[in-house]
Structure formats: C-alpha cells, structure tokens
Amino acid sequence: MKEMRVQIRSRVAEWRADGRLRLALVGSGLFGWLISYPFYGSPVFTLLGTQQAGFFCHLFGGGLAAGFFLAGFLLPFRVVPHRLVRFAGLFAALVPLSCLTLPAFVFLAPAAGLVAAWPIFAWACNIARTATLIPLLAAGVVGANLLCWCCRMLAASKVTALPAVLILSLIWCCALLFLPPTPHQEKKPLAIARWAPLFLFALATYPTYGIHFRVLLPLATESGLGLRLGCLPYVIVFAAAAFLAVRYSLMSVAAAGLSFLGLASVSLAALSAFTPVPLLFLFALTAALIGLACTDFYYWTALVGLAAGGKAEVLGLGLGLCVVLITGTGVLVDTTNVVAVAQTPLAALLDSAFLFLLLPLLLPRLALGMRTDTAPANLPAPADPPERGEAPATRALLDVLTPAERRVFALLLTDKTYGEIAADLLISPNTVKYHVRNIYRKAGCSSRQELQARFRTPVAAPVHANADPHLP
C-alpha cells in the first residue's frame, strides 16, 4: 500500500511538472459545465421547467454543433486569436445565466452554444499533442461526470439549483483562464471519405442510445436508481474502457460499445414483449450505460487521435456530428412518437440485429483507418502490417502491442537509453518504463538484452525516432 501511494504521488508530481495535471483539471471544468448545465443538464430543467428548458437545450445544442464545425477550420490555423476564444467562453457563460432571469434571452442560446464549442475544441487539440492522450482524456471526462453527479445532487430543488448554476459558471470561467492556446497546424488537403467508417459508427450508435435513454429513464426514475446512481456507472465504465484501450487495443472498446448497445436493444424487446422484470430492466440499463461509455470513449479518442495526426478539421466535424445526433434525437423524441415505436419488440429486435451485423463489417475498416491516421505528426506512425519476410515472432508481438508500445519497442531494439527514448518520443522516462514493462510482459521477456536477442534484426536497427521501423 505504501509503495502504491508513493507511485501515485510520483505520477501526480510528474503530471504537474509537465502541465498534464493542468490540462486534466481544465478539461474537467469545461466539460463539467457543459454537460451539467446548458447541454441537457439538470439545473436548467429545475429552474425553467421541462418545456422551456428543452427548447433552450435544443437551441444551445444546435449552436454547439455549428461551433465545433467552425472551430475545426478556424482555431488550428490561428484565424481566431486565443484571447477572443476566452472572451467568447465568457459570453457563453453569461447567456444561460441571463435566460434564467429574462426568458427572452433564450433566443441567444444558439450563439452561446456556438462560442462554447471553441474552448472545448482548444482543450481537445491540446491533449492531442501529448503522448498520454488516453489517460488525459479519461481524467477530463471522468472528472466532468463526477462534477455533473454532484451538481445533480445539489440541483434537486429550485432553492439549490441556482447556487449550482453559479458554481458551475465560476468553474467554467476559471477553466477558461488556464486554457492553453490551440496548437498551430499547417493546412493539409482532407479526404473526408477516408473517415466515413468512423462517422458511420457515430450514426449507428448515438441515435440508438438516445432512444434507449428516453425509454429507460422513466423506469429508472420510478425505481429510484437514476437518482441514487446518477452517472457513477458511466464513470466506472469509461475509466475501465481507458484501461482496456491501453492494455489491449482501442478496437476492443469499439466492439464492446456496439455489442452492449445491441444487448440493450434485445433486453428492450424482452421488456416490451413480457411483463417487466426488475432484473431484466437492470440488465437493459447496465448494457445501455456500458454501450454508451464505450462508444463515447472510442469515438472521442479516435477523433482526438486524428487531431494528433494533424487533422484537427476532422475533430471539429466529428464533435459537431456527435452533438447533431444527440440534439437531433432529442428533438425527434420530443416531437414524434418514436419512443413508442422503439419500444415495440419488432423495432427493438431489428435495431439489435442491425448493430450486431454492423460489428464485423465496420470494425476492420475502423482499425485500418486508426492505424494510419491517429499518430501525432511529430511521432512515428504505428506499425503497418509486417512484410512477409518479417519474423513470425515479431509479427505476433506487434499484433498485441498498442501504437504507443510499438514506438517504444522500435527504439528498444536500438542502443538508446530510456532518457533518449523519452526525448525522441516527447514523453517522460516513467512513461517509457511503463510501456517497457507492458512490452516485456507481452513478449515474455525479462530484460532488454533478451528482447533484443529475440527480436532485433538488421531491418529493425538502427531506427530513427521519426521513421517507421517497419519500412525497409
């Protein structure tokens, strides 16, 4: 236990020294304000009432989507100064506060949503240039959802909802003060069709979960589960997905997201066809939450990875599409009887069949796009499929290594020290040691000498840090 505390303190000190702790806290503050208050948050519904709050949130969501679309084509190229991004963020905080006192201000919600997207986008671009992308993203989102859970507990009545809104607005403004500028990026030609599988993944999953949410939420509220648990199950699964992605692969998280959403649809069909059983309802709710958390983690990590590879425009398009799907599903549910249709056994079974059929068709294409498009521009790309002349042992090892581990593995086969590897890959020596331990475990080696003896070939050594180690 004492050793674990020492390791935790060492990791926190390391994150604090290189600015990653600052980024994690800023992300928690920005995302926490966004999901807790203006974007389908509980305080606005408590203070404005369901109908007016729904109207405000839909308008805000439309502006937020447009803001992400614009941010992808403006912020990385220094078209919008960072100071203006901060002032825009302050405007985004003032408009929702004004709507609580004067309902006429509700029509400014699209403008508030538009400029609220810019700080979120700037934060995503900043974590994209770090070597610990997955832990930073997970820390920001988990912190934001814990803040959302606390806010939900606080905003249980109109008396406590207004203080919750003021606290959230203060957190948002403080996060804006510590937000670093958006990293500069050179303009490159884009081939949007290359990322069609990623966008198809979003089109298949987010509307499905949006409908599941509207079906299961009333049942969860009646049983008291929704109030007691809040977003805690989502936080746990999101953190577990980050661990799964680091230890195994990002594709395993995508497969889990599609699979559990399909299982949730099957459970809804059973709930509609038979007398509701508490255990079956609990299973449907659990499957839907796991599916959403895995879907969010994979989709956001893939988008930030694309920004790390110099494709920030795709990050803006992808985030905008996500918000469009969430907001559009909400509008569709509020204006039509799509929930009643979705509750029929036939519709639920068709939805689950679609997701399970999509799984083997979509995942290989997602994996192909991720391999070549998500490496940072200043780091070596993840390894391509090995050539036929490569040793079978090396081929087998590369299949189980993550992209970050492949880059460290390539440099382990040289005579570089851990400090030199860390400098070449722009990561800390402790991060190098973490990847080395994982590589040794997966390779079945106990030392660097043994690793080099088994896998070092004339092709693999020497390897430059900015070159693909698998190219001749």
Side-chain angles (χ1 to χ4, degrees):
M1 183 65 72
K2 184 177 180 181
E3 184 180 350
M4 184 179 295
R5 287 199 299 268
V6 171
Q7 289 180 352
I8 291 174
R9 288 174 185 169
S10 174
R11 187 59 58 88
V12 170
E14 179 190 340
W15 276 41
R16 184 178 180 181
D18 59 14
R20 283 179 287 173
L21 182 61
R22 169 189 175 187
L23 278 176
L25 293 175
V26 166
S28 297
L30 294 176
F31 264 119
W33 174 83
L34 183 69
I35 63 178
S36 302
Y37 172 39
F39 190 56
Y40 293 110
S42 55
V44 67
F45 282 87
T46 302
L47 292 167
L48 294 180
T50 303
Q51 186 173 1
Q52 188 175 1
F55 181 61
F56 167 79
C57 290
H58 294 331
L59 290 177
F60 186 91
L64 189 68
F68 281 129
F69 290 143
L70 286 175
F73 292 93
L74 296 179
L75 296 192
F77 311 114
R78 306 279 173 87
V79 177
V80 179
H82 183 60
R83 184 175 296 178
L84 182 57
V85 172
R86 286 180 172 174
F87 280 119
L90 293 176
F91 173 77
L94 289 174
V95 168
L97 284 173
S98 304
C99 293
L100 301 179
T101 55
L102 292 174
F105 281 106
V106 74
F107 293 101
L108 289 175
L114 189 144
V115 293
W118 294 359
I120 302 290
F121 180 87
W123 175 76
C125 288
N126 272 283
I127 67 169
R129 65 178 181 176
T130 65
T132 52
L133 185 157
I134 288 178
L136 263 178
L137 179 64
V141 174
V142 167
N145 277 277
L146 290 175
L147 180 63
C148 181
W149 181 70
C150 295
C151 173
R152 186 181 180 86
M153 297 297 102
L154 183 61
S157 67
K158 288 192 175 183
V159 177
T160 56
L162 187 57
V165 169
L166 295 175
I167 292 171
L168 287 168
S169 301
L170 180 62
I171 290 173
W172 166 266
C173 293
C174 291
L176 288 173
L177 293 176
F178 294 97
L179 177 67
T182 308
H184 182 63
Q185 175 182 306
E186 298 296 332
K187 284 195 175 183
K188 301 176 183 177
L190 284 178
I192 301 300
R194 284 186 71 183
W195 304 291
L198 183 61
F199 296 152
L200 179 60
F201 177 85
L203 287 167
T205 52
Y206 281 108
T208 297
Y209 177 79
I211 294 173
H212 288 174
F213 177 77
R214 292 302 183 99
V215 172
L216 294 171
L217 183 61
L219 298 175
T221 304
E222 290 175 8
S223 65
L225 281 174
L227 184 61
R228 288 196 297 270
L229 295 178
C231 56
L232 289 181
Y234 176 91
V235 167
I236 294 170
V237 176
F238 198 93
F243 174 80
L244 189 66
V246 171
R247 190 172 182 84
Y248 298 102
S249 71
L250 197 57
M251 289 304 104
S252 60
V253 179
L258 286 170
S259 300
F260 276 101
L261 286 178
L263 287 174
S265 295
V266 173
S267 304
L268 285 179
L271 280 173
S272 304
F274 308 106
T275 304
V277 179
L279 188 61
L280 186 59
F281 160 70
L282 186 61
F283 178 80
L285 183 62
T286 302
L289 284 171
I290 293 175
L292 174 67
C294 291
T295 295
D296 281 346
F297 178 83
Y298 168 76
Y299 187 66
W300 297 344
T301 303
L303 289 175
V304 176
L306 288 171
K311 302 174 181 67
E313 301 99 318
V314 182
L315 171 65
L317 291 173
L319 290 175
L321 176 63
C322 176
V323 175
V324 165
L325 293 174
I326 294 172
T327 306
T329 303
V331 173
L332 189 66
V333 167
D334 289 344
T335 56
T336 66
N337 63 342
V338 66
V339 170
V341 175
Q343 284 182 290
T344 60
L346 179 60
L349 285 174
L350 288 175
D351 181 52
S352 63
F354 168 72
L355 290 172
F356 284 126
L357 286 174
L358 192 65
L359 189 62
L361 296 175
L362 192 58
L363 284 186
R365 291 169 174 78
L366 288 173
L368 181 63
M370 286 294 295
R371 183 184 300 117
T372 58
D373 290 329
T374 59
N378 57 344
L379 297 180
D384 289 329
E387 302 294 334
R388 285 178 293 181
E390 197 169 34
T394 305
R395 186 183 307 117
L397 177 60
L398 291 174
D399 287 340
V400 297
L401 295 180
T402 65
E405 290 167 356
R406 292 175 191 171
R407 292 191 283 269
V408 175
F409 170 72
L411 294 174
L412 280 176
L413 300 183
T414 70
D415 296 324
K416 290 178 179 289
T417 65
Y418 285 178
E420 291 171 337
I421 293 175
D424 286 347
L425 298 181
L426 303 181
I427 57 179
S428 70
N430 285 336
T431 304
V432 172
K433 293 176 184 178
Y434 171 77
H435 290 313
V436 168
R437 288 195 297 269
N438 288 336
I439 293 168
Y440 286 171
R441 176 179 53 82
K442 294 177 182 180
C445 298
S446 58
S447 67
R448 185 172 182 178
Q449 290 75 15
E450 183 181 355
L451 186 80
Q452 291 180 342
R454 289 177 54 184
F455 298 102
R456 194 172 190 174
T457 65
V459 174
V463 180
H464 190 270
N466 291 322
D468 191 328
H470 303 286
L471 292 178

